[in-house]
């Protein structure tokens, strides 16, 4: 599909495909690669899921359901950014794979600007919050938009410190899902002075499974991620890992070994994260960073016709396990063309026999 601005009909089909059951970013991209347009992909989905071995009909949203989502977003004053359109943030478009859609409430013009994420503990120390607020303000004065997750603690402090210069909140739920409730006034300010973004439908309530996707967008929008305070098992460390996988800089603020909230950040430094004691550490590192190269998003078309897809699907199903495995490993193990392997994996995912993740694939339930 040619990259460009979508018509209303194309936008509806794009969003409908993105909201289809089991179609995540990986499956979405490969369905477009195979069929060229979301309309043709939607028409092919029922047959693909049956071929993958699905026993019940695939849940494809009704047109009216998607129209209601578009109306809900418009009523809030939000914009829907589709992954093929020129105003979709270039750093997100460079991800492998990018999120298909993004709702943006507020100043969407902040999204393409150079950005730094600041994340950390929800139950943050007063010192940690003060550091995050000051760091956000200084990075903002230096020309960087600050990205965070609107959570309690470090996130809220980072938004407060950067509100005047540019602040973006990425939510796990929809753009209208205010959590925690005490951040209602912060959300209201961000929706006017900054920007609130989400992959989810505008009125969706956040669930636990939404936060890793939210964290991937936080790091994906940013040139680097600063972790201020984090325990060893922390969502902020997931954001840091995703940032490293995406080729972004990871910064960590050191802390006392007596404070559990410093264990995660100190461990990041031990693993090679850049020590951050102030804005100059971040600016120094980012000054030498090369521009992100835009992904080659040319589409391959239909997979090879002479491949025995029934045999390939069963071979792939046997290779999958609860441990994630990369697409490249599966291509090597089967010896089949990449386009054929991805087509078969999408069919397995539609049949709920596999789960396609950004970093790998695992067997389905």
């Amino acid at each position: 599909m040619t990259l460009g601005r979508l018509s209303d009909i194309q936008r509806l089909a794009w969003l409908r495909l993105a909201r289809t059951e089991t179609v995540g970013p990986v499956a979405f991209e490969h369905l477009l690669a195979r069929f060229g347009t979301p309309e043709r992909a939607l028409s092919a989905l029922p047959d693909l899921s049956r071929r993958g071995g699905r026993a019940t009909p695939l849940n494809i949203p009704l047109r009216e359901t998607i129209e209601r989502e578009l109306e809900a977003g418009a009523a809030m004053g939000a914009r829907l950014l589709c992954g093929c359109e020129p105003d979709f943030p270039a750093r997100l478009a460079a991800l492998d794979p990018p999120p298909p859609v993004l709702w943006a409430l507020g100043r969407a013009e902040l999204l393409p600007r150079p950005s730094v994420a600041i994340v950390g503990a929800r139950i943050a120390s007063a010192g940690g919050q003060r550091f995050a607020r000051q760091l956000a303000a200084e990075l903002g004065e230096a020309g960087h938009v600050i990205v965070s997750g609107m959570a309690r603690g470090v996130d809220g402090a980072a938004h407060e410190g950067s509100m005047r210069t540019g602040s973006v909140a990425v939510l796990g739920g929809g753009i209208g899902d205010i959590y925690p409730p005490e951040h209602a006034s912060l959300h209201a300010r961000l929706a006017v002075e900054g920007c609130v973004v989400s992959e989810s439908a505008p009125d969706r309530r956040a669930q636990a499974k939404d936060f890793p996707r939210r964290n991937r967008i936080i790091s994906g929008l940013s040139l680097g991620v600063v972790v201020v305070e984090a325990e060893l098992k922390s969502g902020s460390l997931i954001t840091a890992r995703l940032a490293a996988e995406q080729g972004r800089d990871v910064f960590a603020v050191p802390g006392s070994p007596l404070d559990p909230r410093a264990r995660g950040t100190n461990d990041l430094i031990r693993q090679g994260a850049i020590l951050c004691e102030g804005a100059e550490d971040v600016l120094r590192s980012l000054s030498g960073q090369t521009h992100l190269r835009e992904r080659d998003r040319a589409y391959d078309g239909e997979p090879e016709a002479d491949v025995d897809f029934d045999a390939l699907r069963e071979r792939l199903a046997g290779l999958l396990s609860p441990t994630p495995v990369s697409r490249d490993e599966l291509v090597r193990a089967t010896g089949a063309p990449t386009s054929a392997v991805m087509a078969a994996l999408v069919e397995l995912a539609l049949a709920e026999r596999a789960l396609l993740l950004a970093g790998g694939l695992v067997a389905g339930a």
Side-chain angles (χ1 to χ4, degrees):
M1 184 171 181
T2 303
L3 302 186
R5 195 166 297 283
L6 299 178
S7 68
D8 289 345
I9 293 174
Q10 291 172 323
R11 180 180 294 263
L12 190 146
W14 186 281
L15 182 57
R16 191 177 176 209
L17 180 60
R19 296 293 185 239
T20 295
E21 178 188 13
T22 76
V23 175
V26 177
F28 185 97
E29 180 161 81
H30 286 279
L31 286 167
L32 277 188
R34 186 170 178 180
F35 296 103
T37 69
E39 294 91 339
R40 288 200 287 267
L42 285 165
S43 296
L45 282 176
D47 185 53
L48 293 179
S49 64
R50 282 193 298 269
R51 278 160 41 183
R54 188 183 180 95
T56 57
L58 187 67
N59 182 15
I60 301 174
L62 296 173
R63 179 189 179 98
E64 292 78 11
T65 301
I66 300 305
E67 288 174 342
R68 284 196 296 271
E69 177 175 341
L70 292 169
E71 290 166 1
M76 293 181 188
R79 291 176 56 193
L80 178 68
L81 307 177
C82 296
C84 66
E85 294 184 306
D87 50 0
F88 192 82
R91 285 183 294 277
L92 280 186
L95 298 186
D96 182 18
V101 298
L102 196 69
W103 278 104
L105 175 63
R107 297 174 58 201
E109 67 271 17
L110 293 174
L111 301 178
R113 284 177 45 187
S115 303
V116 176
I118 299 177
V119 297
R122 285 173 169 79
I123 306 176
S125 68
Q129 293 182 61
R130 183 177 66 250
F131 184 91
R133 192 177 300 109
Q134 181 176 337
L135 179 66
E138 291 177 0
L139 291 174
E141 291 292 344
H144 290 81
V145 170
I146 300 303
V147 182
S148 197
M150 212 184 81
R152 297 181 179 94
V154 167
D155 288 21
H159 289 307
E160 290 169 8
S162 59
M163 193 69 71
R164 187 175 61 82
T165 53
S167 192
V168 173
V170 185
L171 306 188
I175 52 173
D177 182 28
I178 301 173
Y179 186 83
E182 62 264 30
H183 278 180
S185 61
L186 176 61
H187 179 277
R189 288 190 65 196
L190 284 163
V192 175
E193 301 173 49
C195 191
V196 179
V197 300
S198 174
E199 271 188 281
S200 300
D203 55 0
R204 177 185 169 89
R205 295 295 177 187
Q207 300 176 23
K209 65 180 181 180
D210 297 320
F211 289 98
R213 294 190 304 124
R214 185 277 303 263
N215 294 344
R216 185 171 182 261
I217 292 180
I218 289 176
S219 56
L221 281 170
S222 309
L223 296 169
V225 172
V226 184
V227 184
V228 177
E229 289 182 338
E231 297 197 23
L232 282 173
K233 292 183 178 180
S234 163
S236 300
L237 299 189
I238 295 175
T239 308
R241 175 180 58 79
L242 292 168
E245 291 173 356
Q246 293 163 353
R248 275 51 165 174
D249 283 342
V250 177
F251 303 86
V253 178
S256 168
L258 301 177
D259 188 346
R261 291 168 293 200
R263 288 177 184 167
T265 52
N266 290 347
D267 192 56
L268 284 175
I269 295 169
R270 192 177 298 117
Q271 294 178 43
I274 302 166
L275 186 145
C276 175
E277 294 181 309
E280 63 278 3
D281 293 319
V282 179
L283 297 172
R284 187 186 311 114
S285 178
L286 296 182
S287 67
Q289 189 177 102
T290 57
H291 292 292
L292 290 170
R293 202 177 78 183
E294 189 172 345
R295 289 182 60 222
D296 178 8
R297 304 188 68 192
Y299 297 128
D300 300 324
E302 290 286 344
E304 287 76 359
D306 58 353
V307 173
D308 184 344
F309 272 92
D310 290 338
L312 179 57
R313 277 194 302 270
E314 293 311 310
R315 170 77 172 134
L316 287 166
L319 289 169
L320 296 175
S321 74
T323 303
V325 60
S326 73
R327 288 163 273 175
D328 290 342
E329 288 179 60
L330 293 174
V331 170
R332 283 193 293 270
T334 60
T338 301
S339 58
V341 169
M342 288 311 305
L345 286 169
V346 167
E347 291 174 16
L348 289 172
L350 292 172
E352 298 184 313
R353 295 174 65 191
L355 177 63
L356 274 69
L357 308 169
L361 304 104
V362 297

